[in-house]
Amino acid sequence: MNDRFTYSLIAYAVAVGAVGLLLGAGIYYLFGIIIGTLLSIYKIYSIKNSLNRAVGLSEDKAVTYSQRQYLVRYILTGAIFLVAAFIGVQTLLGVFIALLGMKFAAYMELFKRK
């Protein structure tokens, strides 16, 4: 993964943030978009680093390491969803929509490579 992936995530966040504002979403929605985008960027680089490190480990250690990193990423995601839910529905929706940006950026990478 390179910086184009991060740029795609940011472009997606700007687009869904602008659409949200046009549809009357509040500042809490934008806050959710920002937090979700930062979480997405963290998760992408965490996955990249986990894969790079796991390649150099033995099979058993690589499996254990990868599972541990996976668990950390999803516990963090769950905690952010929980905090966003306490802040408000707009924040929760913003985080959710921003996390979908990972899928958008992945598809953009596929289309750019063709």
Side-chain angles (χ1 to χ4, degrees):
M1 318 249 171
N2 52 26
D3 289 331
R4 286 189 325 189
F5 203 90
T6 303
Y7 296 143
S8 293
L9 279 171
I10 293 170
Y12 173 82
V14 168
V16 296
V19 168
L21 286 177
L22 288 174
L23 295 175
I27 192 76
Y28 289 109
Y29 172 78
L30 290 179
F31 179 67
I33 293 290
I34 292 168
I35 296 302
T37 302
L38 292 174
L39 178 61
S40 295
I41 292 169
Y42 164 76
K43 287 175 70 169
I44 291 302
Y45 282 100
S46 176
I47 290 168
K48 175 186 170 188
N49 292 336
S50 293
L51 289 173
N52 287 339
R53 178 137 189 256
V55 167
L57 299 174
S58 67
E59 185 177 345
D60 292 339
K61 288 183 181 181
V63 168
T64 303
Y65 176 76
S66 297
Q67 288 174 343
R68 207 175 298 136
Q69 293 301 309
Y70 175 85
L71 185 62
V72 167
R73 282 190 299 274
Y74 279 91
I75 287 173
L76 180 62
T77 302
I80 288 180
F81 271 128
L82 185 64
V83 169
F86 282 121
I87 294 172
V89 173
Q90 284 190 0
T91 307
L92 183 62
L93 182 63
V95 170
F96 176 75
I97 290 173
L99 284 174
L100 291 177
M102 291 173 57
K103 305 249 187 253
F104 171 79
Y107 286 125
M108 290 306 295
E109 281 294 312
L110 287 174
F111 289 128
K112 287 178 184 176
R113 291 181 186 225
K114 287 187 177 186

